[in-house]
Amino acid sequence: MGMTMSEKILARASGRERVRPGDLVLAKIDFAMGHDLTIPPAGRIMREEMGADRVWDPERVAVVQDHFQPAKDAASAALGRLTREFAREMGVSWYFEVGQGGICHTVLPERGLVLPGELVVGADSHSCTYGALNCFATGIGSTDLACVLALGELWFRVPESLKLVYHHRLGPWVEAKDLILHVIGLLGVDGARYRAMEHTGEALGWIDMEGRLTMTNMAIEAGAKNAIMACDEVTEAYLRGRARRPYTPVRSDPDAGYERVIEVDAERVPITLARPMSPADTAPIDAVAGTRLDQVFIGSCTNSRIGDLRRAARVLEGRRVAPWVRLIVTPSSHEVALQAEREGLIRVFLEAGAAWTTATCGACLGGHQGVLGEGEVCLSTTNRNFPGRMGDPGALVYLASPVVAAASAVAGEIVHPAEVVGEPVSA
Amino acid sequence: MNATGPGSIRLRGRAWRFGDDVDTDQIIPARYAIYSLDERRLGEHAMEGVPGVGPGWAQRVRPGDVIVAGSNFGCGSSREIAPIAIRGAGIACVVAASFARIFFRNAINLGYPIVQSPAAAAAVEEGDEVEVDLEAGVVRDLTTGREHPAEPFPPFMTELMRTGGLVPWVRRRLEERRQGVG
Ligand code: SF4
């Protein structure tokens, strides 16, 4: 039997001819990432407990200030400082200071640091995002990260693969976000537990790299270990002029083994939202339309790249946010912010009455710049809506695409974007 | 741990049975997280959150006993104190049909033996005397005389187990590299 893409990467990285699901392997890491919440403990474990005085390869480590930065209080300033000092003392090549990077999962792909065929780990559960670029990418704990920083290797259990095949093409108004929410609704929050989610099928051909990153980002919401896609023209075009290292893409063999194959007719996927309090509690827009909102958040590593902001701006252009709603727009990287400035998108947001913030995780994890109070209702383009995720446990969070978010901010309630804009918008 | 010579780690004890989806809050209720640094203290409350078990379970465990559970053992939070509490109670090894991902990683990183064996999970009964052979990948039910296949431990995982987890393992590996061995 042949191997899946995920299996091929783990086999190569562990110096084996082949691996099969369930195997435990010791594998060499191609790239590792930590941020202001995970670098401080990992750095301490690495230096004090493991006795390492340098990182295995400073060229292959990224350290990003994103979760509670710019520092929201004195405690996060202390974490930011430990993170900064660690990066400096270790001579890490890819250190992203406040105002220069943004959210880790947007920054790494954007800077060409995670590439096809590679094995990538990040001390953050949404590190699975990078799999859209045909790498095996997964989230790890701080002790794991300390091990990687010290040695450049880590142990893995080879996951079983789950194959998703998307037929036809997404309909008007329906985005990658709707598709992945729909799939999480089908699978449930642990439907892909421990599994590699392999996304395939002709519908992906029409989904750009940003949309693909949105899809792989949410693999963990179904319990998956990683998500992965093949490297095609869209991937190659994205990497041109960006990739920092030569790379070798991997493909799944025609006779690779899958635990389950799930076929989805993309054409029939409706605009989909997740209802409070679980990303798997999904519903078509008609079922939740009319829900009155207090806050709309367009941000996070899921949905705040330049295309997301463009589509949101198309909706908001010449319109105003409903008087009882606060719309917060947080670009997911400094690059995205710069580009939004060049294209005049920031002006559109400001004129519509939105609050525009610096690139940070911010409101996504109830950190700062938009924390919800008890009983408040929010529509968010992020990836999680478990109780308390964005603030008070009594706040209600719906998850949706940026277009639905922008239209709903104008309407003051959840609305089908066609009711606000008429014609579908594209990036 | 009862190591019977190089290349083999065998554990022997009585089986304690648990069902499917035992989550981290059942293994060690969150209120005991304050004892995070005290393994024995945590151990006294191990498994008391499991419906129908309650406080006092750990007092009946003899050091070396094993837990035999169903699927998705250790689901829920990423709390590293879950395997620590089980170890603190004197349980030598957990055998389950399957483990939740983070529990699995945490246990291995602590150097704590866990074994996946759907066959043993289906057949072993409470109180059976079992022997777990980690490298051979076998769970022997000495009471019934039946052998159940398990996922074998590859050599490097055994090494991790012998050195006591990821931290000492990395320390040793670094040492070897410095001396040009590794
Ligand atoms: S934006 Fe949200 S989901 Fe993404 S890394 Fe930050 S906190 Fe995590």
Side-chain angles (χ1 to χ4, degrees), chain B residues 48-67:
Chain B
E48 76 173 49
V50 178
V53 172
W57 176 82
Q59 282 64 54
R60 307 202 303 276
V61 170
R62 279 193 234 132
D65 285 356
V66 301
I67 283 177

Side-chain angles (χ1 to χ4, degrees), chain B residues 66-84:
Chain B
V66 301
I67 283 177
V68 179
S71 60
N72 205 19
F73 188 84
C75 59
S77 87
S78 61
R79 225 170 283 151
E80 203 157 317
I81 58 172
I84 294 176

Side-chain angles (χ1 to χ4, degrees), chain A residues 33 35 37 66-67 103-106 124-127 129 217 221 297 299-302 332 360-366 382-384 389:
Chain A
M33 186 281 297
H35 53 58
L37 295 186
D66 58 6
H67 276 62
I103 305 169
C104 50
H105 308 311
T106 295
D124 186 277
S125 66
H126 289 101
S127 302
T129 308
N217 175 269
E221 267 62 60
F297 178 56
S300 89
C301 57
T302 315
S332 67
T360 174
C361 293
C364 172
L365 76 163
T382 55
N383 47 38
R384 281 186 182 153
R389 169 70 176 178

